Coordinates of all heavy atoms in Angstrom, one line a residue:
K1 N 0.8 -1.2 0.0 CA 0.0 0.0 0.0 C 0.9 1.2 0.0 O 1.7 1.4 0.9 CB -0.9 0.0 1.2 CG -1.8 1.2 1.3 CD -2.7 1.2 2.5 CE -3.7 2.4 2.5 NZ -3.0 3.7 2.5
I2 N 0.6 2.1 -1.0 CA 1.4 3.4 -1.0 C 0.5 4.5 -0.4 O -0.7 4.6 -0.8 CB 1.7 3.7 -2.5 CG1 2.6 2.6 -3.1 CG2 2.4 5.1 -2.6 CD1 3.9 2.5 -2.5
D3 N 1.1 5.2 0.5 CA 0.3 6.3 1.2 C 0.6 7.6 0.5 O 1.6 8.2 0.7 CB 0.7 6.3 2.7 CG -0.3 7.2 3.4 OD1 -1.4 7.5 2.9 OD2 0.1 7.6 4.6
G4 N -0.3 8.0 -0.4 CA -0.2 9.2 -1.1 C -1.6 9.9 -1.2 O -2.4 9.7 -0.4
L5 N -1.8 10.6 -2.3 CA -3.1 11.3 -2.6 C -3.8 10.4 -3.6 O -3.3 10.2 -4.7 CB -2.8 12.7 -3.1 CG -4.1 13.5 -3.4 CD1 -4.8 13.8 -2.2 CD2 -3.8 14.7 -4.2
S6 N -5.0 10.0 -3.3 CA -5.7 9.2 -4.3 C -6.1 10.0 -5.5 O -6.6 11.2 -5.4 CB -7.0 8.6 -3.6 OG -6.7 7.7 -2.6
A7 N -6.0 9.4 -6.7 CA -6.4 10.2 -7.9 C -7.1 9.2 -8.8 O -6.8 8.0 -8.9 CB -5.1 10.7 -8.6
S8 N -8.1 9.8 -9.6 CA -8.8 9.0 -10.6 C -8.6 9.7 -11.9 O -8.7 10.9 -12.1 CB -10.3 9.1 -10.2 OG -11.1 8.4 -11.2
L9 N -8.1 8.8 -12.9 CA -7.8 9.3 -14.2 C -8.7 8.8 -15.3 O -8.8 7.5 -15.4 CB -6.3 8.9 -14.6 CG -5.3 9.0 -13.5 CD1 -4.0 8.4 -14.0 CD2 -5.1 10.5 -13.1
T10 N -9.4 9.6 -16.0 CA -10.4 9.2 -17.0 C -9.8 9.2 -18.4 O -9.3 10.2 -18.8 CB -11.7 10.1 -17.0 OG1 -12.3 10.0 -15.7 CG2 -12.7 9.6 -18.0
Y11 N -9.9 8.0 -19.0 CA -9.4 7.9 -20.4 C -10.5 7.6 -21.3 O -11.4 6.8 -21.0 CB -8.3 6.8 -20.5 CG -7.0 7.2 -19.9 CD1 -6.8 7.1 -18.5 CD2 -5.9 7.6 -20.7 CE1 -5.6 7.4 -18.0 CE2 -4.7 7.9 -20.1 CZ -4.5 7.8 -18.8 OH -3.3 8.2 -18.2
E12 N -10.6 8.3 -22.4 CA -11.6 8.1 -23.5 C -10.8 7.8 -24.8 O -10.0 8.6 -25.2 CB -12.5 9.3 -23.6 CG -13.4 9.5 -22.4 CD -14.3 10.7 -22.5 OE1 -14.2 11.4 -23.6 OE2 -15.2 10.9 -21.6
H13 N -11.1 6.6 -25.4 CA -10.4 6.2 -26.6 C -8.9 6.3 -26.4 O -8.2 6.6 -27.4 CB -10.9 7.1 -27.8 CG -12.4 7.0 -28.0 ND1 -13.1 5.9 -28.4 CD2 -13.3 8.0 -27.8 CE1 -14.4 6.2 -28.4 NE2 -14.5 7.4 -28.1
G14 N -8.5 5.9 -25.2 CA -7.0 5.8 -25.0 C -6.4 7.1 -24.6 O -5.1 7.1 -24.3
R15 N -7.1 8.2 -24.5 CA -6.5 9.5 -24.2 C -7.0 10.0 -22.8 O -8.1 9.9 -22.5 CB -6.8 10.5 -25.3 CG -6.2 10.2 -26.6 CD -6.4 11.3 -27.7 NE -5.8 11.0 -29.0 CZ -4.5 11.2 -29.2 NH1 -3.8 11.8 -28.3 NH2 -4.0 10.9 -30.4
L16 N -6.0 10.6 -22.1 CA -6.4 11.2 -20.8 C -7.2 12.4 -21.0 O -6.8 13.4 -21.7 CB -5.1 11.5 -20.0 CG -5.3 12.2 -18.7 CD1 -6.0 11.3 -17.7 CD2 -4.0 12.7 -18.1
V17 N -8.4 12.5 -20.4 CA -9.3 13.6 -20.6 C -9.6 14.3 -19.3 O -10.0 15.5 -19.3 CB -10.6 13.2 -21.3 CG1 -10.4 12.7 -22.7 CG2 -11.4 12.2 -20.4
R18 N -9.4 13.6 -18.1 CA -9.8 14.3 -16.9 C -9.1 13.5 -15.7 O -8.9 12.3 -15.8 CB -11.3 14.3 -16.6 CG -11.7 15.1 -15.4 CD -13.2 15.0 -15.2 NE -13.9 15.5 -16.4 CZ -14.5 14.7 -17.3 NH1 -14.5 13.4 -17.1 NH2 -15.1 15.2 -18.4
A19 N -8.7 14.3 -14.7 CA -8.1 13.7 -13.5 C -8.7 14.4 -12.3 O -9.0 15.6 -12.3 CB -6.6 13.9 -13.5
A20 N -9.0 13.6 -11.3 CA -9.6 14.2 -10.1 C -9.1 13.6 -8.8 O -8.6 12.4 -8.8 CB -11.1 14.0 -10.1
T21 N -9.1 14.4 -7.7 CA -8.8 13.8 -6.4 C -10.0 13.1 -5.9 O -11.1 13.1 -6.4 CB -8.5 14.9 -5.4 OG1 -9.6 15.8 -5.2 CG2 -7.3 15.8 -5.9
R22 N -9.8 12.3 -4.8 CA -10.9 11.6 -4.2 C -12.0 12.6 -3.6 O -13.2 12.3 -3.6 CB -10.4 10.7 -3.1 CG -11.6 9.9 -2.4 CD -11.0 8.8 -1.5 NE -10.2 9.3 -0.4 CZ -9.5 8.6 0.4 NH1 -9.5 7.3 0.2 NH2 -8.8 9.1 1.4
G23 N -11.5 13.7 -3.0 CA -12.4 14.6 -2.3 C -13.1 13.9 -1.2 O -12.5 13.3 -0.3
D24 N -14.5 14.0 -1.2 CA -15.3 13.4 -0.1 C -15.7 12.0 -0.5 O -16.6 11.4 0.1 CB -16.5 14.2 0.2 CG -17.4 14.5 -0.9 OD1 -17.3 13.8 -2.0 OD2 -18.3 15.3 -0.8
G25 N -15.2 11.5 -1.6 CA -15.5 10.1 -2.1 C -16.6 10.1 -3.2 O -16.7 9.2 -4.0
T26 N -17.4 11.2 -3.2 CA -18.4 11.3 -4.2 C -18.1 12.4 -5.2 O -18.3 12.3 -6.4 CB -19.8 11.7 -3.6 OG1 -20.2 10.7 -2.7 CG2 -20.9 11.9 -4.6
T27 N -17.5 13.5 -4.7 CA -17.1 14.6 -5.6 C -15.6 15.0 -5.3 O -15.3 15.1 -4.1 CB -18.0 15.8 -5.3 OG1 -19.3 15.5 -5.6 CG2 -17.6 17.0 -6.3
G28 N -14.8 15.1 -6.3 CA -13.4 15.5 -6.1 C -13.0 16.8 -6.8 O -13.9 17.5 -7.3
E29 N -11.8 17.1 -6.8 CA -11.2 18.3 -7.4 C -10.6 18.0 -8.8 O -9.9 17.0 -8.9 CB -10.2 18.9 -6.5 CG -10.7 19.2 -5.1 CD -9.6 19.0 -4.0 OE1 -8.6 18.3 -4.3 OE2 -9.7 19.6 -2.9
D30 N -10.9 18.8 -9.7 CA -10.3 18.7 -11.1 C -8.8 19.1 -11.0 O -8.5 20.3 -10.9 CB -11.1 19.5 -12.1 CG -10.7 19.2 -13.5 OD1 -9.5 18.8 -13.7 OD2 -11.5 19.4 -14.4
I31 N -8.0 18.1 -11.2 CA -6.5 18.4 -11.2 C -5.9 18.0 -12.5 O -4.7 17.6 -12.5 CB -5.8 17.7 -10.0 CG1 -6.2 16.2 -10.0 CG2 -6.2 18.3 -8.7 CD1 -5.4 15.3 -9.1

């Protein structure tokens, strides 16, 4: 387990289009 900042990376057709923090688990920050 790596203790860092959780991030979610959205890829569409193989390209990165959005990245977000976990925030409150439902809504995060656009980074």
Side-chain angles (χ1 to χ4, degrees):
K1 181 181 183 297
I2 300 297
D3 192 16
L5 180 72
S6 297
S8 178
L9 316 176
T10 300
Y11 286 80
E12 293 181 355
H13 304 291
R15 295 184 178 276
L16 177 65
V17 296
R18 187 179 304 106
T21 63
R22 181 171 61 188
D24 62 8
T26 300
T27 304
E29 302 146 338
D30 189 332
I31 52 167

